[in-house]
Amino acid sequence: TEQQELLDAFAKLASEMNQLLLGFENSTFVKRLKAASRKQMDFAVELNELDGFGVTPDEAETAQQRKTLADRQVAESEELSTLQQDMMAYAARQPSPHYELVLEEMQNDDPAIRVRYIGSTVQKNDVGQATIDSEFWADTLDRYAEQLVPPPPSAHGPPAEGVIDLPNLTPEIVLEVLRVINREIELREETRELHQTVPLAERDENGNPKPRKQGEKEEPEWFADYNKRAAGLSKTQQELAATSRNLVEQIKKLPRADHPKILGQIAKLTEAAKIMDEVEDLLDKPDTSPTTVAAIQHAIETLLAAGRLPNAPMIAKVPPSSTPALMLMGLGDGGSKVSIEKRAPNQAIGKTGRKLPAEFRAGLDVYLNKLEGR
């Protein structure tokens, strides 16, 4: 049947699709915040398993473990700082009350500094406080992500099971779109990495290399390499824009291509291609500043609209195969993995059960023995 043929076609490409979707954790701002939230929760879990009760901060047995955990929080702090800078540049390009609200909270809360401070707390062996702080930031970052997504219009609730009757994109088209998104994410990171090669003394107010003046001595070696790499990135963006437009033409040839859902996907790809043209021109200047990174992010957000993921585990059946595959891309990147389903420090809040934790039993035995001796 037609549905079985579709499932078989997807099965053949499932491996590469899943591999690409794994990388989309670093795609939209919603997913990046959700991922940061999950990492803080994972950190709290590891802290809860760290046996540092009664251990002095400089004792070698756990000192290395604490240092490793502290270093991870330093790295997470840098990721959060980059994320906040990207959001500021994106909000300047695409003003939105949702982004303004979250950015105002982030500027007041300063998550990057506070997460870095958790590392210092761990180094002092104050594991209980560090666990509380990690859980707090897991919830806060998750809330930031939720606030970025406006609630869906009430008039367009989910259809009843078995009623969905929507046209399909072919698995080949879906896979090609995933490849474009994945390469665009890589392009964003490569642009940011190239921007960091510009010496601070050589930057203009936007962070790009200062223009060379007539009669000025020869260009430094780094400048030639910078221009060459920027030209390569510009060419990559040109190719991705051409691929997006080619996908639009392929979709237009599909049956039921005039369906509103399919027309919406065509409009999304067309808009993304136009943004890519802008990025191509910026990189060709060359310009690798946050302005360009924000434009690339705009293309990513346009291609992959983030689905709203609830905190509670979803209880739902697999969407029917008639659901457009492109429509599922924002939901198929491990939503259950980025939702907060449980809290780690049960022992810290007195929920380990009737059995006393091991580190307390020895001390209690001594106390009871002395009490009975009296």
Side-chain angles (χ1 to χ4, degrees), residues 77-321:
S77 170
E78 293 173 354
E79 288 289 334
L80 284 171
S81 179
T82 298
L83 173 58
Q84 187 171 349
Q85 291 173 11
D86 286 356
M87 285 182 62
M88 292 175 65
Y90 183 77
R93 175 186 176 85
Q94 292 288 109
S96 163
H98 303 286
Y99 279 84
E100 290 177 8
L101 175 63
V102 172
L103 280 171
E104 182 178 357
E105 289 195 36
M106 292 182 77
Q107 288 167 358
N108 292 332
D109 298 342
D110 207 350
I113 296 297
R114 301 309 300 175
V115 166
R116 181 183 289 266
Y117 183 74
I118 295 175
S120 302
T121 306
V122 173
Q123 288 280 47
K124 298 174 184 175
N125 201 31
D126 193 351
V127 175
Q129 184 61 51
T131 302
I132 293 171
D133 292 343
S134 293
E135 278 216 309
F136 169 80
W137 284 109
D139 286 334
T140 301
L141 292 167
D142 182 77
R143 178 171 57 80
Y144 290 162
E146 292 292 309
Q147 290 176 201
L148 285 182
V149 184
S154 56
H156 301 284
E161 182 182 352
V163 178
I164 302 177
D165 180 24
L166 298 174
N168 293 301
L169 296 180
T170 66
E172 291 77 14
I173 291 178
V174 174
L175 178 59
E176 193 60 38
V177 172
L178 295 179
R179 287 170 178 162
V180 171
I181 296 172
N182 182 67
R183 187 65 189 94
E184 198 71 18
I185 294 171
E186 293 175 347
L187 181 68
R188 182 193 65 199
E189 299 308 312
E190 290 167 4
T191 300
R192 182 184 289 112
E193 179 185 343
L194 178 57
H195 188 69
Q196 293 171 351
T197 65
V198 182
L200 293 176
E202 297 285 346
R203 297 185 182 187
D204 61 17
E205 58 182 8
N206 295 322
N208 289 311
K210 294 178 181 178
R212 316 304 295 182
K213 298 178 181 179
Q214 287 186 350
E216 196 172 359
K217 60 182 180 180
E218 294 183 3
E219 296 175 347
E221 183 177 348
W222 67 266
F223 190 68
D225 182 65
Y226 174 85
N227 281 328
K228 181 179 179 181
R229 291 173 60 186
L233 295 179
S234 179
K235 183 178 180 181
T236 297
Q237 187 64 99
Q238 181 186 41
E239 294 169 352
L240 290 173
T243 301
S244 298
R245 290 190 170 92
N246 182 52
L247 286 169
V248 168
E249 295 305 315
Q250 292 182 44
I251 295 174
K252 287 180 179 179
K253 297 176 182 178
L254 294 176
R256 302 179 66 186
D258 58 345
H259 190 283
K261 292 292 183 182
I262 295 295
L263 292 176
Q265 303 304 331
I266 290 175
K268 186 180 297 185
L269 283 167
T270 301
E271 181 185 354
K274 291 179 180 178
I275 299 170
M276 292 176 188
D277 291 341
E278 179 186 349
V279 173
E280 178 192 347
D281 292 339
L282 287 169
L283 290 171
D284 191 53
K285 286 186 177 181
D287 182 343
T288 55
S289 68
T291 300
T292 303
V293 173
I296 299 174
Q297 184 66 42
H298 189 190
I300 295 170
E301 298 276 349
T302 302
L303 287 167
L304 182 57
R308 183 174 174 81
L309 299 173
N311 285 330
M314 295 179 64
I315 302 175
K317 294 184 178 180
V318 175
S321 56

Side-chain angles (χ1 to χ4, degrees), residues 355-366:
K355 185 177 179 181
L356 192 67
E359 62 264 33
F360 299 145
R361 289 200 293 270
L364 184 61
D365 289 340
V366 172

